[in-house]
Structures are given as C-alpha cells and as structure tokens.
Amino acid sequence: MSFVTCGSVVKLLNVKHNVRLHSHDVRYGSGSGQQSVTGVTAVEDSNSYWSVRGTGDDACHRGNPVQCGQNIRLTHVNTGRNLHSHYFTSPLSSNQEVSAFGENGEGDHLDEWTVLCAGSVWQREESVRFRHTSTDALLSVTGEQYGRPIHGQREVHGMMISGSHSYWRTMEGIFMKPSETGSRDFSSPLHTEF
C-alpha cells in the first residue's frame, strides 16, 4: 500500500531538518501555555506517533486514502491532544506557535490542517506540507533548539512562507488498509506495519 489512509498511526519526518514531529505532556512556559510540540532526532520515541483523523466537516473513514487538499486532524497518540495552531507567538523564532490541544481527540476548529500534495492522494513516500486551515500557516521547522527541560529538541511552528522547512514525509507507523469489499466491516484487523 503506497498511500496514507485515515485511521493510520504515523511518525512524520521533517525532510530538511531530519526530526520527527513530537509532543509530550510538557507545556509552553509562554504563549498559550498549551502542550508543546517539538521535533526530535530519536527514531524510537513513542511520543512521536500521530493518528490521522477526519474533522467535523470532512469525514475520514478508516482505511480510505487521504486526498490531497483534504482537511484532517493529527491526534497525538500518547496524550490524546490534537496538533493545533493559533496566533500566539512561538517561543524561540517568534513565528506562529504550534501546540497540542484538546482532550481525548476532541478539540476545536484550530486543530484542522489541509494536506498539500502533488497528486490525488497522499503518497507514503511523498514529501507533503500541512497548511493550518484557519490561519494558512505551514507546519515548519527552522532549526531553533530548546534548552531545559527539553534540551536539544527543535521548535515546530507555523510559517506563512513556503520553503524547504515545511516538507514532511511519513516514516514508521501502522497503515490501515482499505476495505476490499467496499463495506465498512472493520471487525478483522486490516492493517500493515511499516
């Protein structure tokens, strides 16, 4: 299976900076005070898994390919908070803050991101961008590093300018297979590990 599907759990690698999108139950000391989102070089960290989900207006049925231009939510698996952005200033670069928000996958309209890719569906090997649906900022990393308590982790933020800092590729994860019959019976395990 060469494409990303709804319900998959993935790690996302920033192609330029070679860091995975990461979060943990550490809050920003400024800005929104919400759960921080960073980039980490560690491959095996379980705090870098995100679930690909639909939004209130854009259904994402488990196993269906994610379309280019589709709005999605990325829910942090270990804390249940959604990738989120808003007009708070990011702590290191003074770009737009990116945080994790909500409880048990429920948040608000500021948790929605549009998948920007080249074809009709999000390919697993493709470098894609994520545009924040409400503010148009692109999910980006530019290399600023945090000190304590998250020493060495990179700042993840939103930027209005498109560039090499805003491209992401799926890495490790569990990818849900589409139903071969077209029905929505998901009682049997239909996933592949990557």
Side-chain angles (χ1 to χ4, degrees):
M1 189 170 59
S2 62
F3 45 83
V4 178
T5 53
C6 299
S8 295
V9 174
V10 298
K11 290 184 179 182
L12 295 167
L13 178 77
N14 182 276
V15 177
K16 179 168 180 68
H17 296 280
N18 200 35
V19 292
R20 284 162 174 76
L21 187 68
H22 179 88
S23 192
H24 39 221
D25 201 5
V26 174
R27 297 189 176 272
Y28 288 122
S30 62
S32 68
Q34 293 175 358
Q35 182 172 303
S36 60
V37 172
T38 63
V40 297
T41 55
V43 174
E44 66 283 348
D45 196 317
S46 67
N47 277 314
S48 299
Y49 282 111
W50 300 83
S51 175
V52 180
R53 302 175 57 230
T55 67
D57 297 330
D58 209 343
C60 192
H61 298 290
R62 189 167 93 168
N64 286 356
V66 176
Q67 305 293 313
C68 294
Q70 182 173 344
N71 292 342
I72 62 168
R73 281 186 172 151
L74 292 169
T75 302
H76 187 244
V77 172
N78 285 353
T79 63
R81 295 190 175 105
N82 298 318
L83 189 68
H84 182 92
S85 193
H86 39 217
Y87 288 116
F88 287 96
T89 301
S90 63
L92 300 181
S93 65
S94 297
N95 286 307
Q96 186 170 305
E97 183 187 275
V98 171
S99 63
F101 174 77
E103 296 295 330
N104 300 316
E106 295 304 317
D108 63 23
H109 70 285
L110 296 174
D111 301 339
E112 298 178 9
W113 299 82
T114 305
V115 180
L116 303 178
C117 46
S120 58
V121 298
W122 177 6
Q123 298 291 328
R124 281 170 55 177
E125 296 296 320
E126 180 182 9
S127 295
V128 303
R129 292 172 297 152
F130 300 98
R131 185 181 65 222
H132 190 241
T133 308
S134 293
T135 66
D136 289 333
L138 295 167
L139 184 68
S140 303
V141 176
T142 52
E144 293 84 1
Q145 292 188 30
Y146 288 103
R148 296 180 58 197
I150 51 175
H151 179 72
Q153 295 186 20
R154 306 289 176 88
E155 183 185 73
V156 172
H157 49 248
M159 292 182 68
M160 302 309 285
I161 300 168
S162 177
S164 59
H165 304 288
S166 58
Y167 282 92
W168 301 83
R169 189 162 44 95
T170 56
M171 299 301 285
E172 305 79 14
I174 299 171
F175 296 83
M176 295 295 171
K177 286 184 181 177
S179 172
E180 294 174 12
T181 62
S183 69
R184 296 214 172 100
D185 175 16
F186 294 108
S187 56
S188 61
L190 294 173
H191 69 268
T192 59
E193 293 191 30
F194 180 74

